[in-house]
Amino acid sequence: MFSKIALSIFISFELSFYLLIAQTGIVEYLSSNIYAISPIAIGGIIGSILVYFIKLSSKNKIVLLLLLQFSVSLAYPDFSKVLLFLLGLSVGGLAPLIIEKIKESSTLQLAFALALSYTLGTALFIIEPSDRQFIAIIFSLVCLISVLFIKDNEKMKSLPSYSYSLYSMTLWVFIDSALFETLSRDASISIWRDGFTLEIIVFHIVGVLAAFTFKFEKFENEIFVILLFALSYLLFFLQEAALLGIVYPFVISYYNVAILRGIIKKDFRTICIYMIFIGWIASGLGLLVALENLILYVPIIFLISLLKVLSSYNISIKEKKCIN
């Protein structure tokens, strides 16, 4: 029982660390300078590859990378390029290992871990990036302590999964990242700093519960996610902060569960490759869109994706009719 709780705590606090420190803390502290923050992305990609070749148990890999993460966090936020690279190396290596650990979790464990992660991330997001050293240190310590109590290779009832394409999952992360990075820099509609904290937390949790409750088919889920993103972008363009604070957290939680369920059946090498595209390339392109003010062009991309999904579905229906 204690091992199950420790696993949920590890997942939630490491995901929160990534959001508050690697994704937003350092990036905002360095004024979103692509050249200055590039060592994180380079380290993240190398870490996602390198972790596959390290011949240690999953638990020992996690402990090693968390020790590195904790050591680097002591210098937050004044990182040299080498320390930025090492930070990327640690979180990049931990990402596929978290997926491996999620394979050992139950639906209830994962739902609790995600809900706690979104709650922590949202509640602490208002803290200025330059003042988040205590978050970096404490969260790394919590992860390190909790992982010591996790039983390695503990097998649980497998989570229900879907076989989403790498293209679809990468697209979702790109669309999300472009909107998130734009919103976090928009003084007129930064929902996390505009008093919508409670609504965001509630609808993050609702999104998690919905993702595990709705019995949609793969095609229906893909359409649902794209339409939710379309609505989120529409509300952003209309500057409807209150409604955006409801819809956008819901879709973030919902599609992230969909992604997790889409890759948990993959082998570890494939997961490492997927995390490079999902965790680094897609999010990096989203950041670039935000910095270059290209957000207006993003809806064109997922409109094309919607047409692609509908086309694939029609082809699938025709093939089934031919077989019958």
Side-chain angles (χ1 to χ4, degrees):
M1 180 65 181
F2 195 73
S3 175
K4 296 177 183 179
I5 296 173
L7 177 57
S8 294
I9 291 174
F10 162 64
I11 293 171
S12 61
F13 274 78
E14 183 57 30
L15 292 176
S16 298
F17 178 94
Y18 176 78
L19 169 67
L20 295 169
I21 304 302
Q23 184 180 0
T24 60
I26 291 299
V27 173
E28 291 189 29
Y29 181 74
L30 295 176
S31 303
S32 302
N33 185 313
I34 292 293
Y35 174 75
I37 63 179
S38 61
I40 298 181
I42 295 170
I45 292 172
I46 293 175
S48 295
I49 297 172
L50 187 63
V51 72
Y52 173 74
F53 295 98
I54 298 176
K55 302 303 179 182
L56 294 173
S57 68
S58 174
K59 183 174 180 178
N60 286 337
K61 288 180 185 179
I62 292 173
V63 170
L64 182 65
L65 289 168
L66 284 174
L67 284 172
L68 175 59
Q69 178 179 291
F70 172 73
S71 300
V72 173
S73 295
L74 294 174
Y76 183 93
D78 298 313
F79 292 143
S80 65
K81 284 183 170 55
V82 172
L83 289 179
L84 285 173
F85 174 80
L86 292 176
L87 179 65
L89 197 71
S90 63
V91 295
L94 283 166
L97 289 169
I98 289 175
I99 304 299
E100 282 292 289
K101 283 301 174 185
I102 286 175
K103 291 181 179 182
E104 301 171 14
S105 66
S106 65
T107 299
L108 182 60
Q109 279 178 272
L110 181 55
F112 172 75
L114 292 175
L116 178 58
S117 174
Y118 288 128
T119 300
L120 288 170
T122 303
L124 299 175
F125 191 85
I126 59 174
I127 297 175
E128 287 299 316
S130 59
D131 298 327
R132 294 181 187 176
Q133 184 185 40
F134 78 97
I135 296 176
I137 295 173
I138 292 175
F139 279 32
S140 295
L141 274 177
V142 170
C143 290
L144 190 54
I145 293 170
S146 62
V147 81
L148 296 176
F149 295 94
I150 297 173
K151 295 179 181 177
D152 212 0
N153 298 319
E154 185 177 24
K155 298 302 178 185
M156 302 289 182
K157 182 180 178 182
S158 60
L159 295 167
S161 63
Y162 294 102
S163 183
Y164 298 110
S165 68
L166 177 58
Y167 167 81
S168 293
M169 293 187 287
T170 303
L171 177 74
W172 295 343
V173 174
F174 165 70
I175 292 171
D176 176 25
S177 180
L179 182 55
F180 177 83
E181 299 291 355
T182 300
L183 272 173
S184 64
R185 290 164 176 77
D186 192 327
S188 64
I189 189 173
S190 179
I191 58 175
W192 294 276
R193 296 184 173 99
D194 285 348
F196 298 103
T197 299
L198 180 59
E199 292 90 334
I200 293 171
I201 290 174
V202 168
F203 282 93
H204 266 313
I205 295 173
V206 171
V208 170
L209 296 177
F212 286 114
T213 303
F214 292 172
K215 304 299 182 182
F216 290 153
E217 296 296 324
K218 173 191 168 185
F219 162 75
E220 294 169 332
N221 251 331
E222 289 183 314
I223 295 294
F224 188 52
V225 169
I226 292 174
L227 291 178
L228 284 174
F229 270 125
L231 179 57
S232 298
Y233 270 74
L234 177 63
L235 293 173
F236 167 70
F237 293 138
L238 295 175
Q239 298 286 287
E240 291 289 347
L243 290 175
L244 186 62
I246 293 173
V247 176
Y248 186 42
F250 179 92
V251 66
I252 291 175
S253 300
Y254 190 91
Y255 96 86
N256 273 310
V257 172
I259 284 181
L260 291 174
R261 292 172 67 176
I263 61 179
I264 56 175
K265 293 296 185 181
K266 308 292 183 183
D267 61 87
F268 187 61
R269 183 177 64 176
T270 303
I271 290 172
C272 291
I273 295 171
Y274 272 42
M275 293 313 296
I276 292 172
F277 286 92
I278 296 171
W280 298 102
I281 295 177
S283 59
L285 289 173
L287 175 59
L288 187 62
V289 165
L291 295 180
E292 297 298 325
N293 295 315
L294 299 173
I295 191 74
L296 282 170
Y297 299 99
V298 175
I300 298 173
I301 297 174
F302 59 82
L303 176 60
I304 294 172
S305 177
L306 177 60
L307 295 175
K308 182 178 180 296
V309 171
L310 292 172
S311 175
S312 299
Y313 178 70
N314 289 332
I315 292 172
S316 176
I317 293 296
K318 289 178 181 178
E319 288 176 349
K320 288 181 180 180
K321 288 182 178 179
C322 289
I323 294 174
N324 294 332

